[in-house]
Amino acid sequence: MEIRKAEERDLDRVLAIYAAARETMRKNGNPHQWGTEKPPVYEVVDEIEKGHLMLVTEGEEIFGAFAMIPGRDPTYTVIDGGEWLNDEPYITLHKVASDGRRRGIVRAAVEYALRFTDNVRADTHADNRLMQRALTSLGFVYCGIIYLVDGDPRRAYQLVKKSYVAEKG
């Protein structure tokens, strides 16, 4: 699988991937995280324009999408019930989604992010067992609860590159 930045021409395909991800979430006991309309189109367009939205591809086919955001995430400033593994610079992965046709979308996103940083952070809804398993299987450590701008709690995770390299070789 390859990773490339999303472009405006990819918007319809990205929205279809997010629709497929919402359906997968719903079928797996997580109907609330993205509901019926998250992420909203304006957020997806904004992330494309900022160069943060990445696509997981094989050839011309697009199978997944994720936002890769460098720098401090303001919603990660306060963490309840734990602490971050370190306070070093990090990249945050948000809105990781697959259309369901290929496995390994989360792994591809994480490995891509690790090309640019030694620390990757992510968060997910308490009901998103699929993402929680994917993150922990890749070596992410559960760090505590963060809160989105709207106050919704999310389970927060961090991966430090040296532990990933040591574990995955």
Side-chain angles (χ1 to χ4, degrees), residues 18-36 125 127-130:
Y18 284 130
R22 285 191 300 271
E23 181 62 17
T24 298
M25 287 179 181
R26 187 188 64 72
K27 287 180 179 176
N28 285 280
N30 182 20
H32 306 293
Q33 182 174 353
W34 286 356
T36 59
H125 193 279
D127 292 339
N128 195 339
R129 305 274 191 248
L130 293 175

Side-chain angles (χ1 to χ4, degrees), residues 113-124:
L114 287 172
R115 294 182 193 175
F116 305 96
T117 187
D118 289 340
N119 290 281
V120 179
R121 293 182 182 180
D123 64 83
T124 193

Side-chain angles (χ1 to χ4, degrees), residues 4-12 14 48-49 53 55:
R4 72 169 173 83
K5 285 187 179 183
E7 301 173 9
E8 187 178 320
R9 66 184 169 94
D10 301 313
L11 181 60
D12 287 342
V14 170
I48 291 172
E49 290 173 353
L53 193 69
L55 303 177

